[in-house]
Amino acid sequence: MAIRKDVEFFDVSIASSAERFLGLIDLSIYTINRRGEYILGETDAEKVMERFASLVNTYRDGAISERDQADVLLKIEQDLVFDEDWIVPEYRQTAFKMSVYIKHPSTLKVLDGLFAYDQLVRNLTILQWNGKVDQVRIDQARHHERQALSKIHQFAGSSLIGLNRRARPVTKP
């Protein structure tokens, strides 16, 4: 079973991360959770799932923390400026919009992180348009997101490969 989530990202970099990494991460977490104990044993499967949980929580918590800091900064800066002097740019269209089917609850945490990073980039862009942050700060947020999600993706890929290797019997020529 899976749940359907309609997702929409506006920043191209964040959308790219979602499109590129989310599927394998969800598949890996689901597969190891479902089959890992039979192939790896209870202890090893538990260790792998704990590692996933740690990576996912670090990703989500970091995204939410950065977004919340940007929210506070945006509110403070906006309160200091007269409304007519504050510029609020808008996205012309979404960069990624589709329905995704999620097989494991941990993937929802990854989505929470992606949404938080998308909002972070939006807030930082508004601040940049108003001269409060530099483009470098926006680029850092995008880079940090990609780096953190890449760690989860790499672990997901190597975990699936390891699971597959252990599942197949070794045949000698």
Side-chain angles (χ1 to χ4, degrees):
M1 296 196 53
I3 64 163
R4 178 181 175 199
K5 290 288 281 185
D6 295 322
V7 297
E8 185 175 44
F9 298 104
F10 293 95
D11 183 69
V12 175
S13 179
I14 306 302
S16 172
S17 288
E19 189 173 17
R20 184 174 178 194
F21 300 133
L22 196 59
L24 179 68
I25 290 169
D26 186 48
L27 174 67
S28 182
I29 293 172
Y30 171 77
T31 303
I32 291 169
N33 186 59
R34 184 166 173 147
R35 302 281 183 217
E37 189 175 313
Y38 302 115
I39 297 168
L40 303 173
E42 187 177 333
T43 305
D44 287 344
E46 190 175 306
K47 286 179 185 175
V48 172
M49 290 305 292
E50 285 174 1
R51 177 78 172 129
F52 264 121
S54 172
L55 289 168
V56 167
N57 288 335
T58 299
Y59 176 78
R60 185 198 59 199
D61 295 346
I64 290 171
S65 174
E66 284 192 59
R67 182 207 56 208
D68 291 349
Q69 290 172 15
D71 284 346
V72 169
L73 180 60
L74 181 65
K75 176 89 172 98
I76 289 169
E77 293 294 341
Q78 199 169 8
D79 287 346
L80 295 174
V81 176
F82 293 111
D83 286 337
E84 62 272 357
D85 293 333
W86 189 255
I87 300 168
V88 181
E90 296 179 11
Y91 289 104
R92 294 185 343 191
Q93 62 186 16
T94 59
F96 179 82
K97 181 178 183 178
M98 71 179 298
S99 296
V100 295
Y101 292 88
I102 296 172
K103 297 179 201 125
H104 195 273
S106 290
T107 309
L108 291 173
K109 294 178 181 180
V110 175
L111 269 178
D112 288 344
L114 284 163
F115 290 133
Y117 274 116
D118 196 49
Q119 185 65 37
L120 169 65
V121 171
R122 179 190 177 280
N123 290 347
L124 291 174
T125 302
I126 292 170
L127 288 164
Q128 188 239 353
W129 270 82
N130 288 283
K132 305 302 178 184
V133 298
D134 293 329
Q135 179 66 39
V136 172
R137 178 62 186 100
I138 299 168
D139 294 340
Q140 285 173 342
R142 288 179 177 137
H143 178 73
H144 185 256
E145 181 279 327
R146 180 60 63 104
Q147 207 172 28
L149 195 59
S150 290
K151 283 182 186 177
I152 301 170
H153 182 260
Q154 288 169 354
F155 184 72
S158 63
S159 297
L160 274 182
I161 290 168
L163 191 70
N164 189 28
R165 284 186 182 149
R166 279 198 168 170
R168 291 185 180 176
V170 178
T171 57
K172 294 185 179 181

